[in-house]
Amino acid sequence: ELETHYVIFMADGNEVARVSYTSDTKSITAPDVPTKTGYSGTWESYSLGDSDIVVNAIYTAKTYFVTFRVSDDTQVIYYNRIKFDQKIGDIMPKLPTVPEVEGQIGRWELNGEEVTLDTVWKIDGDATIYAVYEVAPNNNKTKGCGGSLLTASILLSGLAITGLTALIIRKKDEE
């Protein structure tokens, strides 16, 4: 009688499947590699032998394009490839300078979150990082008014989504 052995398919430390075979078995059907956001997966190579075999999933981070722009109708300030789970700082030594707008303070944002060199890419696709501006403190041109202007936009996988543009004005307290 032929001895039964197993190919144990593992992904991220979890058993996905256990497929039996004997010395007469020429090939087996491997299960699908479990999906993992931002990664493509394959099984490591293996050969059937005379003992149990553990086969691990090998995941490779997908590569996407990151673009820095002020708005959809302005030129690209910076463009590069980035891998899923990679830090922005790994693809550039410093962030592009946010173009100056008089009386405004600017920063880079993606999905409402400020982007820094330590930002880790968690978008499963290409995306555009946009400049977001706020009125600089103590830079009110209208007496008795203060406010902030915030525009957030993202371009995710070719779909433009523009956030709400809001101007908030407070009336000066009556004296």
Side-chain angles (χ1 to χ4, degrees):
E1 185 173 317
L2 297 174
E3 188 175 347
T4 300
H5 301 289
Y6 295 92
V7 178
I8 304 160
F9 292 91
M10 303 286 291
D12 288 333
N14 298 309
E15 185 174 317
V16 174
R18 184 177 292 250
V19 180
S20 63
Y21 71 96
T22 65
S23 58
D24 283 351
T25 306
K26 301 291 184 219
S27 67
I28 62 169
T29 301
D32 291 338
V33 176
T35 58
K36 187 174 178 179
T37 301
Y39 290 85
S40 57
T42 60
W43 294 116
E44 63 187 359
S45 62
Y46 62 94
S47 298
L48 301 178
D50 58 358
S51 63
D52 292 350
I53 305 165
V54 174
V55 178
N56 292 294
I58 299 171
Y59 289 101
T60 304
K62 293 178 184 176
T63 300
Y64 303 105
F65 289 100
V66 58
T67 305
F68 284 77
R69 299 179 93 138
V70 174
S71 67
D72 283 332
D73 30 332
T74 59
Q75 69 183 31
V76 172
I77 293 172
Y78 181 84
Y79 184 78
N80 204 343
R81 292 175 184 240
I82 190 165
K83 291 182 179 182
F84 192 84
D85 278 337
Q86 185 176 23
K87 284 185 180 181
I88 296 281
D90 292 344
I91 65 165
M92 60 177 61
K94 66 178 192 163
L95 290 176
T97 302
V98 178
E100 289 187 22
V101 173
E102 186 178 335
Q104 306 274 321
I105 297 173
R107 66 181 177 278
W108 297 111
E109 279 193 8
L110 177 64
N111 293 337
E113 298 289 327
E114 184 172 5
V115 173
T116 69
L117 292 175
D118 291 326
T119 299
V120 176
W121 196 256
K122 294 289 188 183
I123 303 290
D124 192 13
D126 301 338
T128 299
I129 297 171
Y130 288 97
V132 176
Y133 295 90
E134 292 183 10
V135 173
N138 301 320
N139 192 26
N140 300 316
K141 301 292 183 194
T142 309
K143 184 178 179 182
C145 292
S148 65
L149 179 66
L150 175 64
T151 303
S153 300
I154 63 167
L155 183 66
L156 182 57
S157 299
L159 174 66
I161 303 168
T162 304
L164 175 66
T165 301
L167 179 61
I168 302 164
I169 301 175
R170 294 184 311 265
K171 288 187 178 180
K172 183 178 177 188
D173 293 331
E174 301 214 7
E175 296 178 18

